[in-house]
Amino acid sequence: MKVQPAAYLRTTLPLDLSQLPELDSGRYHSIWLPDHMVSFWPDSIWTPEFTDLATVSPSPHRHLDAMAVAAAAAVLTTNVPLVTSVVDTVRRHPSLLAQSALTIGHLAKGRFVLGLGSGETENTVPYGFDFTKPVSRFEEALHVIRLLWDSDGPVDFDGQFYRLRHARLDTEPYDGRLPPIWIGASGQRTLDIVGRYADGWWPTGAWTPEDYAEKLATVRASADRAGRDPLAITPCYIQVCLIAPDDAALEEILAAPLVKAFLLQVSAPMLRSFGYEHPMGESWRGYQDIDPAVLTRERILEFLAGVQPEMLLSVIPHGTPKQVARIVKDYVDAGLRVPKILDYGGMAGLKYAAASAQHVREAEDELLCLCGDVR
């Protein structure tokens, strides 16, 4: 497949569906819709003291249901595939995921892709969901979804997490084609699951092109062992970047508290592999330890004081749109085919947020020029 960027449709308030005609024009491989209850940014720094973004939005957690927004987008577009990026299998029973995916598939006339993941702490634990053994639960949920899609008539199932008794899902898929399943995963167990179940894959973390290539090789080896075509799995990535017009702007972006807060999503072992000790301590697990409501102002201030610009630069591609495109091209050389360039520099404040979409478009254009006939 050729290299083609993906687009994001934000599933937060205020919801803007007016951009859908542009996203449906053929420029993009697919539209990805994130699904959260809350964001990663701590409440304690979403205030005018730390960011002027708080002057236009009272909270960073005004999220909408991605499946519902996908259904709306399905009837407002005609060409581009719509992908949840990603829905977890903790908050929704797999039977409901199976039915919802078929429903949106009919609304989209076969253009819906069910993007799934094993879940994150901040979206599950505060709401009382059982987040123990998330990977085992995830694999069993995938099995239940496939079982309901593939079975004729009622089925029974006795698993560790789910029980079915005379359960049926007689709704046929649109045009006889089941929705593809894409999976977000980076751990060894989940990469193996990707190879056995998925039609597409994003890493939940791939910090170098070599890391991406290694994880993709693991996915393809698993697919091969399962008797599946390894090359039929679409290699994707949400490439977080810091895009700036010049060095002075980049320096200002790196000093912004919300940009510094990106390091909360990086684990201590990963940051240590780049030569830095994590400001949150050696046991910090990255995004799995984030609970925005309980990270106090005092702790975040201590964290921010410990963040060095070099830490961010070591894990986030950065520079002008052309420089960022050249970095993403290295991931293409490692096997990536559907990149979503996500400019985190927009979190530096209203000035940078206003320029972010244009920066991303320029980086996409340059990337496509660099890729040429890469397939």
Side-chain angles (χ1 to χ4, degrees):
M1 62 178 298
K2 68 178 182 178
V3 177
Q4 189 176 12
Y8 242 21
L9 180 63
R10 294 191 179 278
T11 51
T12 51
L13 291 176
L15 181 64
D16 180 14
L17 299 180
S18 65
Q19 61 184 306
L20 284 173
E22 179 186 354
L23 302 184
D24 196 34
S25 65
R27 175 183 177 88
Y28 293 104
H29 174 278
S30 43
I31 298 174
W32 299 353
L33 299 92
D35 186 63
H36 286 267
M37 295 293 286
V38 297
S39 299
F40 293 116
W41 299 293
D43 297 342
S44 57
I45 56 172
W46 193 272
T47 70
E49 176 188 0
F50 293 98
T51 175
D52 60 3
L53 295 173
T55 65
V56 296
S57 179
S59 167
H61 312 305
R62 301 160 71 199
H63 290 277
L64 302 172
D65 182 276
M67 300 287 275
V69 177
V75 299
L76 295 173
T77 54
T78 57
N79 301 305
V80 67
L82 305 162
V83 190
T84 51
S85 173
V86 294
V87 172
D88 69 65
T89 53
V90 179
R91 292 176 292 142
R92 293 174 173 87
H93 193 282
S95 63
L96 296 181
L97 286 169
Q99 183 189 42
S100 294
L102 292 178
T103 302
I104 303 173
H106 279 272
L107 294 171
K109 294 182 169 53
R111 292 178 293 113
F112 180 67
V113 177
L114 181 59
L116 295 173
S118 60
E120 297 162 338
T121 301
E122 83 279 2
N123 291 314
T124 55
V125 174
Y127 303 95
F129 291 102
D130 182 1
F131 196 49
T132 58
K133 300 183 178 180
V135 176
S136 296
R137 181 187 300 272
F138 177 61
E139 182 168 12
E140 190 168 299
L142 288 167
H143 179 79
V144 170
I145 291 169
R146 291 291 192 193
L147 180 65
L148 289 170
W149 280 353
D150 295 338
S151 298
D152 293 325
V155 297
D156 295 335
F157 176 76
D158 287 294
Q160 182 179 2
F161 306 97
Y162 303 107
R163 307 284 188 274
L164 302 181
R165 288 290 179 271
H166 306 296
R168 63 194 304 154
L169 185 56
D170 291 354
T171 303
E172 68 272 16
Y174 180 83
D175 200 27
R177 294 176 287 116
L178 288 167
I181 291 177
W182 290 8
I183 292 175
S186 277
Q188 287 298 308
R189 286 181 63 198
T190 50
L191 291 174
D192 179 66
I193 292 170
V194 171
R196 290 186 282 114
Y197 284 93
D199 304 293
W201 165 71
W202 307 265
T204 50
W207 305 103
T208 65
E210 293 76 19
D211 187 26
Y212 188 93
E214 183 178 338
K215 287 179 167 65
L216 180 57
T218 300
V219 165
R220 287 175 169 169
S222 171
D224 187 59
R225 290 193 299 270
R228 305 180 68 220
D229 179 3
L231 298 181
I233 299 174
T234 302
C236 310
Y237 192 30
I238 301 171
Q239 182 73 73
V240 174
C241 304
L242 295 176
I243 307 180
D246 51 46
D247 290 343
L250 181 60
E251 184 177 354
E252 187 172 306
I253 288 170
L254 290 167
L258 291 182
V259 174
K260 287 184 175 183
F262 177 81
L263 277 187
L264 293 171
Q265 301 180 43
V266 181
S267 71
M270 179 56 64
L271 191 59
R272 190 177 302 116
S273 72
F274 286 94
Y276 302 97
E277 294 302 314
H278 204 292
M280 294 297 283
E282 63 181 14
S283 63
W284 185 254
R285 297 182 303 158
Y287 66 88
Q288 290 292 7
D289 276 346
I290 296 175
D291 186 340
V294 301
L295 287 170
T296 65
R297 184 179 188 278
E298 291 71 25
R299 191 172 191 201
I300 292 301
L301 285 176
E302 182 181 358
F303 159 77
L304 293 174
V307 175
Q308 304 167 30
E310 293 76 17
M311 294 176 178
L312 291 163
L313 295 175
S314 70
V315 296
I316 308 178
H318 54 276
T320 65
K322 287 189 175 183
Q323 289 170 329
V324 164
R326 285 193 285 272
I327 296 170
V328 178
K329 174 59 164 57
D330 290 338
Y331 284 80
V332 170
D333 293 341
L336 173 64
R337 290 298 176 266
V338 185
K340 167 55 194 143
I341 298 175
L342 180 62
D343 176 28
Y344 216 82
M347 299 311 299
L350 292 173
K351 177 177 70 172
Y352 290 104
S356 184
Q358 182 59 34
H359 286 161
V360 169
R361 191 174 184 90
E362 290 173 9
E364 291 169 350
D365 289 343
E366 179 67 16
L367 176 64
L368 291 175
C369 288
L370 291 172
C371 290
D373 293 329
V374 171
R375 292 183 178 271

